[in-house]
Amino acid sequence: MALADLKRLERNEDGIATVLGILKQRFGERFLTGQSIREQHAHTMTYIPAQLPDGVAYPKRTEEVQEIVRVCAEHRVPVIAFGTGSSLEGQVNAPGGGISVDVSGMDRVLSVNAEDLDCTIEPGVTREALNTHLRDTGLFFPIDPGANASLGGMAATRASGTNAVRYGTMRENVLSLTAVMADGRAVTTAKRAKKTSAGYDLTRLMIGSEGTLGIITSLTLKLQGIPQAIAGGVCPFPSVEAACNAVITTIQMGIPVARIELVNQLQMKAMIAYSGLDYPESPCLFLEFHGTDAGVAEQSELFSEIASEHGGGPFLWTRETEERAKLWKARHDAYHSAKALRPGTQAVATDVCVPISRLAECIVETERDIAEIGLIAPIVGHVGDGNFHVSPLIDASNPKEIEVLEAFIARLNERAIAMDGTCTGEHGIGQGKMKFLELEIGTGVDVMRAIKRALDPDNIMNPGKIFGF
Amino acid sequence: MALADLKRLERNEDGIATVLGILKQRFGERFLTGQSIREQHAHTMTYIPAQLPDGVAYPKRTEEVQEIVRVCAEHRVPVIAFGTGSSLEGQVNAPGGGISVDVSGMDRVLSVNAEDLDCTIEPGVTREALNTHLRDTGLFFPIDPGANASLGGMAATRASGTNAVRYGTMRENVLSLTAVMADGRAVTTAKRAKKTSAGYDLTRLMIGSEGTLGIITSLTLKLQGIPQAIAGGVCPFPSVEAACNAVITTIQMGIPVARIELVNQLQMKAMIAYSGLDYPESPCLFLEFHGTDAGVAEQSELFSEIASEHGGGPFLWTRETEERAKLWKARHDAYHSAKALRPGTQAVATDVCVPISRLAECIVETERDIAEIGLIAPIVGHVGDGNFHVSPLIDASNPKEIEVLEAFIARLNERAIAMDGTCTGEHGIGQGKMKFLELEIGTGVDVMRAIKRALDPDNIMNPGKIFGF
């Protein structure tokens, strides 16, 4: 969306004033309206301008979220769920004002069922906090979107990240959730059974709904056993195509790779400069394998053969934790090293996802587009899933640069959709991708709107997102 | 539901008569109203009485399904999707009459994208037909519910089966689908990208909706590479508890078992008698491992150790196809051998699914219940997922036996739900499990009803199922 077009919804001033009074009275110190707090709860990532909520509530329990939603429902005031604020497409902005419901204080791990490989948590638990909590159980929660996001937010945006290729996304890793719906009722979507055919899949409906249908107040997550052995390494390729073809072969052979990350030439150059590493300045795949000692060795050797068949290599890999950390250091430094390519600018992370057969073509065309318009925009990708990120470095205070950026993002999204892909593999629609959704899903958007109207007839749950109403 | 309670919906006689005339005119030989055809398209499995549709249409394309639905929508006549008729809970019954839409003639494989490990098919393609079609590609579609069901029907009931423990259910294996909605519009839910965060998950909403929201007219499915090696075998245990504990350890250690099936003592006895096999008459696990030669050997050895830690064994396993077939023969004969326990009766297959920590307890209590009421009811289970089937052998013409059966099924479902499980892991709700859904999901059922009303306001899509309206 062009900056100038960023929609403001009509503000219900009377309703907002009434709700502010009621919530202040009810929540006292746990309801704040100061400017800086409200700024922290509006969109802070990338270039989409902030649109501040009118107040921020800090509930501690589902029942308190219900109270807040009921008050807002009665007075038709928007309710915007907030976890850690790491969403990237304006999901936490408040285009019609309203109340930000900050669930960061709902951070209890309610139960860990080690035998069932699941746990039930409150939505403010972050993925790192959960894995710290699980440390002594031999289990872990695999989804890793990079940021230390809250798990409620990760579910709401259908997040994934580097090891989705093996473990799936939030879509596959939530067994059940509780959400407070627009009328204030709390709904638990399923029991704890690993499979169910009992009625509509409300769990999956809420995952990815970006707070527009309800506020998630608890989650039952699948856990994984920590693998006996982890191997990892880095493999250079002569071209993005060669790297992508190696990925296709790897996936097709059924090698259960845990992470397979593409870093393009510009990003490698940035990382080499930033981290002082002795890598070739060519596209690389960063890989990780999980399994038994023998299993990860076998997988690594198989990949090594695949790489050389595609002109890549040598594949340097190891099972040693420290050595792995060294090999992967460059990948972990991607964000900061990219910013150093153009100091003082902002990295605008955008993502698309295409069938892997189209991945090389999509990245190559995107690199050409970047070169032609003179952007500095490194690329990293969760390529096992056909998902990649482009991070143009821009001066967000310069309207000219924003214009160029938005035209570039539009072409990128249209390219991905034309290749039978999606305008977002893991960041969600929010405000930033609204105009591409209809192009992608067509009449399906009407079905989404009908569901939204049925479940939130007064449009109080995170209005102005996904469909723009 | 007690037989006497099986709900008939009010028939719209005028509308039905009009629609019969229009469809006969339009589809000629591809629209049939004979008694025997209509009987074949009502519920034929288990004990739920048949409720016949008024006519059966055989469309060949999405556009023809749209035509049929538009005619029915205009005259408010029920539309019931039909694949192969292998559903088990009365999903294809027509309690208010109407038109059965038999998609078995929509059986084209539209495309196979080997590089992307996906394919797009029409809904009448059966899983065996698909795997035959894929034979030379090195790929296969893993979901195996036992019956040679149509893939449209498998999606509609969120089916799974023996190897869901490794490959997931229909929920995880459909990338996108096209469905004709109640107003006759065709909606395609997603593109072909492996991951997406673009709006509500309409794909998952349709999967498991049992034809109550729309008729699926195409599916894009994930495929898997055929594993280099398959190992399989059988392992006896002194008790169901011991077998379940071995399963828990296996899953918790992250051994990527492809199938892990429990057969209880009665079922083993039946199979030994039926197939003349030299197995011990005690609970057994039937296992299959997929991977590399070294991988499946390692997995088999690891499982063997786990089994003996839990008092089980010996675990007889092999990589040879013929030997595996021999070992698994008994499992494949389960249905027929069970029926031989009480010749002339009907096996009523019912399923529940619980967290695996409760599985032993749930099965043991169920076995006790079976013994106490004197049923003959063998048990087999997809125990890696906590899912098991009980198949009471009954004389369906005897109301007394039906009464005993229904009371037993009610206790089984209540037991599973009380253990944080579900009244159906893979058969769906249909008519047979309606009364347990509210007990399981509570207020969530209201959300399902609101979605149904929003997307099918005149209630023409498979009415009388899931919620009973």
Side-chain angles (χ1 to χ4, degrees):
Chain A
M1 131 188 8
L3 268 186
D5 299 341
L6 188 59
K7 203 167 167 178
R8 287 219 161 259
L9 301 176
E10 205 179 325
R11 284 174 58 86
N12 169 8
E13 296 294 357
D14 290 352
I16 290 170
T18 307
V19 163
L20 289 178
I22 294 170
L23 294 179
K24 188 72 215 168
Q25 176 84 9
R26 166 64 183 82
F27 288 95
E29 292 301 301
R30 291 194 288 127
F31 184 71
L32 302 175
T33 54
Q35 176 77 11
S36 78
I37 286 288
R38 292 192 295 121
E39 277 172 4
Q40 287 164 28
H41 286 78
H43 186 67
T44 55
M45 307 288 287
T46 81
Y47 76 102
I48 299 172
Q51 296 172 315
L52 277 51
D54 293 284
V56 181
Y58 295 86
K60 297 294 279 180
R61 298 286 178 269
T62 298
E63 294 71 25
E64 291 186 345
V65 176
Q66 291 182 277
E67 274 187 71
I68 295 162
V69 171
R70 283 195 184 115
V71 168
C72 289
E74 188 181 345
H75 300 282
R76 303 198 176 188
V77 167
V79 186
I80 302 111
F82 187 96
T84 62
S86 56
S87 59
L88 290 165
E89 294 293 352
Q91 279 92 346
V92 299
N93 258 346
I99 306 303
S100 175
V101 179
D102 182 328
V103 298
S104 60
M106 296 178 69
D107 61 353
R108 293 178 302 168
V109 175
L110 299 173
S111 62
V112 176
N113 305 297
E115 286 191 327
D116 295 317
L117 281 80
D118 73 42
C119 68
T120 300
I121 57 155
E122 290 183 324
V125 175
T126 65
R127 63 173 187 87
E128 286 178 7
L130 177 59
N131 282 326
T132 301
H133 184 98
L134 294 172
R135 210 172 26 204
D136 301 327
T137 62
L139 302 173
F140 78 116
F141 181 70
I143 316 291
D144 174 5
N148 185 23
S150 70
L151 289 154
M154 286 169 61
T157 51
R158 208 182 292 132
S160 45
T162 49
N163 49 24
V165 63
R166 169 143 182 174
Y167 297 103
T169 72
M170 289 304 282
R171 180 172 78 190
E172 287 83 20
N173 285 281
V174 178
L175 286 174
S176 171
L177 56 84
T178 299
V180 174
M181 308 302 283
D183 59 4
R185 281 193 303 181
V187 166
T188 299
T189 55
K191 295 284 185 182
R192 229 161 31 78
K194 211 175 139 206
K195 299 193 323 193
T196 168
S197 289
Y200 300 166
D201 192 342
L202 299 182
T203 312
R204 253 48 59 183
L205 180 66
M206 298 306 295
I207 293 170
S209 65
E210 303 187 15
T212 64
L213 297 177
I215 297 184
I216 295 169
T217 61
S218 82
L219 292 152
T220 298
L221 303 172
K222 282 192 208 172
L223 302 174
Q224 301 286 334
I226 293 173
Q228 181 196 323
I230 299 178
V234 182
C235 187
F237 284 85
S239 67
V240 163
E241 288 96 327
C244 289
N245 288 331
V247 172
I248 291 171
T249 308
T250 305
I251 299 292
Q252 198 158 23
M253 282 186 61
I255 300 176
V257 59
R259 304 186 206 242
I260 187 161
E261 298 281 299
L262 174 72
V263 175
N264 83 337
Q265 191 164 3
L266 176 64
Q267 180 68 60
M268 280 306 295
K269 183 179 163 184
M271 297 191 310
I272 290 162
Y274 184 86
S275 308
L277 295 168
D278 184 23
Y279 286 123
E281 207 174 280
S282 62
C284 281
L285 290 176
F286 286 69
L287 293 106
E288 198 170 278
F289 301 101
H290 295 178
T292 58
D293 269 324
V296 298
E298 187 183 35
Q299 293 173 41
S300 301
E301 293 303 337
L302 274 171
F303 175 77
S304 200
E305 284 169 33
I306 292 167
S308 56
E309 277 165 29
H310 292 281
F315 176 46
L316 303 171
W317 68 274
T318 174
R319 276 176 290 209
E320 300 306 315
T321 309
E322 268 182 48
E323 286 294 310
R324 264 197 298 119
K326 247 188 246 171
L327 285 172
W328 268 72
K329 184 174 186 324
R331 174 67 185 91
H332 292 134
D333 287 341
Y335 179 76
H336 293 292
S337 67
K339 288 193 70 168
L341 285 172
R342 193 182 169 203
T345 56
Q346 194 170 7
V348 176
T350 190
D351 92 304
V352 294
C353 187
V354 295
I356 55 174
S357 65
R358 309 300 297 273
L359 183 63
E361 189 185 353
C362 194
I363 293 179
V364 167
E365 282 186 26
T366 303
E367 284 182 331
R368 194 180 306 138
D369 194 14
I370 290 167
E372 277 171 15
I373 57 177
L375 274 178
I376 298 176
I379 294 175
V380 296
H382 313 317
V383 285
D385 295 316
N387 183 206
F388 69 95
H389 300 256
V390 189
S391 298
L393 297 164
I394 61 148
D395 171 4
S397 67
N398 181 341
K400 194 79 201 156
E401 290 203 17
I402 294 285
E403 201 180 300
V404 171
L405 171 74
E406 290 183 336
F408 167 76
I409 290 177
R411 284 191 300 277
L412 174 62
N413 283 285
E414 287 155 12
R415 183 179 304 125
I417 292 167
M419 291 181 179
D420 223 349
T422 174
C423 67
T424 175
E426 55 182 27
H427 293 176
I429 297 292
Q431 298 176 311
K433 295 282 176 93
M434 281 198 293
K435 68 175 168 188
F436 309 110
L437 184 64
E438 197 122 9
L439 178 66
E440 181 174 329
I441 308 285
T443 52
V445 181
D446 294 334
V447 177
M448 296 182 195
R449 285 197 187 99
I451 293 168
K452 167 72 172 171
R453 283 196 198 98
L455 300 183
D456 180 20
D458 291 327
N459 193 25
I460 64 164
M461 305 307 287
N462 204 9
K465 315 295 166 66
I466 304 183
F467 333 93
F469 72 79
Chain B
M1 131 187 10
L3 269 186
D5 299 342
L6 187 60
K7 205 167 164 176
R8 287 221 160 257
L9 301 176
E10 204 178 327
R11 285 174 58 84
N12 169 7
E13 297 292 357
D14 290 351
I16 289 169
T18 307
V19 163
L20 289 179
I22 295 170
L23 294 179
K24 188 72 215 168
Q25 175 84 6
R26 166 64 182 85
F27 288 94
E29 291 301 299
R30 291 194 288 128
F31 183 71
L32 301 175
T33 54
Q35 174 79 9
S36 78
I37 287 288
R38 294 192 294 119
E39 275 173 4
Q40 286 163 27
H41 286 78
H43 186 67
T44 55
M45 308 287 289
T46 81
Y47 76 101
I48 300 173
Q51 296 173 316
L52 277 50
D54 294 283
V56 181
Y58 296 85
K60 296 294 281 180
R61 298 288 178 265
T62 298
E63 295 70 25
E64 292 187 343
V65 176
Q66 291 182 278
E67 274 187 71
I68 295 162
V69 171
R70 284 197 183 112
V71 168
C72 289
E74 189 182 344
H75 300 282
R76 303 199 176 188
V77 166
V79 186
I80 302 111
F82 187 96
T84 62
S86 56
S87 59
L88 290 166
E89 294 294 352
Q91 279 93 347
V92 298
N93 258 346
I99 306 304
S100 176
V101 180
D102 182 327
V103 298
S104 60
M106 297 178 70
D107 60 354
R108 293 178 303 167
V109 175
L110 300 174
S111 62
V112 176
N113 305 296
E115 285 192 327
D116 295 319
L117 282 80
D118 72 42
C119 67
T120 299
I121 58 156
E122 290 183 323
V125 175
T126 65
R127 63 173 188 87
E128 286 178 7
L130 177 59
N131 282 326
T132 301
H133 184 98
L134 294 171
R135 210 171 26 203
D136 300 328
T137 63
L139 302 173
F140 77 115
F141 181 71
I143 316 292
D144 175 5
N148 185 24
S150 70
L151 288 152
M154 285 168 62
T157 50
R158 207 183 291 131
S160 43
T162 49
N163 50 23
V165 63
R166 168 142 184 178
Y167 297 102
T169 71
M170 289 303 283
R171 182 172 77 192
E172 287 81 20
N173 286 283
V174 179
L175 287 173
S176 171
L177 56 85
T178 298
V180 174
M181 308 301 284
D183 60 4
R185 282 193 302 180
V187 166
T188 299
T189 55
K191 295 282 186 186
R192 231 163 29 81
K194 210 174 139 204
K195 298 192 324 193
T196 169
S197 290
Y200 301 165
D201 192 342
L202 299 182
T203 312
R204 253 47 60 183
L205 180 65
M206 298 306 296
I207 293 170
S209 65
E210 303 186 14
T212 64
L213 298 177
I215 297 185
I216 296 169
T217 61
S218 82
L219 293 150
T220 298
L221 303 172
K222 283 192 208 172
L223 301 175
Q224 302 286 332
I226 293 173
Q228 182 196 322
I230 299 178
V234 182
C235 187
F237 284 86
S239 66
V240 163
E241 289 97 325
C244 288
N245 288 331
V247 172
I248 291 171
T249 308
T250 305
I251 300 292
Q252 198 158 24
M253 283 186 62
I255 300 175
V257 59
R259 305 186 204 241
I260 186 162
E261 299 281 301
L262 175 71
V263 174
N264 83 338
Q265 191 163 4
L266 176 62
Q267 179 68 60
M268 281 305 295
K269 184 178 160 183
M271 298 191 308
I272 291 162
Y274 184 84
S275 308
L277 295 167
D278 184 25
Y279 285 124
E281 206 175 283
S282 62
C284 280
L285 290 177
F286 285 68
L287 294 105
E288 198 170 278
F289 302 101
H290 294 178
T292 58
D293 269 325
V296 298
E298 188 182 35
Q299 293 173 42
S300 301
E301 293 303 336
L302 275 171
F303 175 77
S304 199
E305 284 169 32
I306 292 168
S308 56
E309 276 166 29
H310 291 282
F315 176 46
L316 303 172
W317 68 274
T318 174
R319 275 176 291 208
E320 301 306 315
T321 308
E322 268 182 47
E323 285 294 310
R324 265 197 297 119
K326 249 188 243 169
L327 285 171
W328 269 73
K329 184 173 187 324
R331 174 66 184 90
H332 291 134
D333 288 341
Y335 179 75
H336 294 290
S337 66
K339 288 193 71 169
L341 285 171
R342 194 183 168 204
T345 56
Q346 192 168 9
V348 175
T350 189
D351 92 304
V352 295
C353 187
V354 296
I356 54 172
S357 65
R358 309 300 296 274
L359 183 63
E361 189 185 352
C362 195
I363 294 179
V364 167
E365 283 186 26
T366 303
E367 285 181 331
R368 193 179 307 137
D369 194 14
I370 289 167
E372 278 171 16
I373 57 177
L375 274 179
I376 298 176
I379 294 175
V380 295
H382 314 317
V383 285
D385 293 316
N387 183 205
F388 68 94
H389 299 256
V390 189
S391 298
L393 297 166
I394 61 148
D395 171 3
S397 67
N398 181 341
K400 194 78 202 157
E401 290 203 17
I402 295 285
E403 199 179 302
V404 170
L405 171 76
E406 290 183 334
F408 167 76
I409 290 177
R411 284 191 301 277
L412 173 63
N413 283 286
E414 287 156 11
R415 182 180 305 124
I417 293 167
M419 290 181 179
D420 222 351
T422 173
C423 66
T424 174
E426 54 182 26
H427 293 177
I429 298 291
Q431 298 176 311
K433 294 284 175 92
M434 283 198 292
K435 68 176 171 188
F436 309 110
L437 184 65
E438 196 122 11
L439 178 66
E440 180 174 329
I441 307 286
T443 52
V445 181
D446 294 334
V447 177
M448 295 181 195
R449 285 196 186 99
I451 294 168
K452 166 73 172 171
R453 283 196 197 98
L455 300 183
D456 180 20
D458 291 326
N459 193 26
I460 63 163
M461 306 307 287
N462 206 7
K465 314 295 166 69
I466 304 184
F467 332 94
F469 73 79

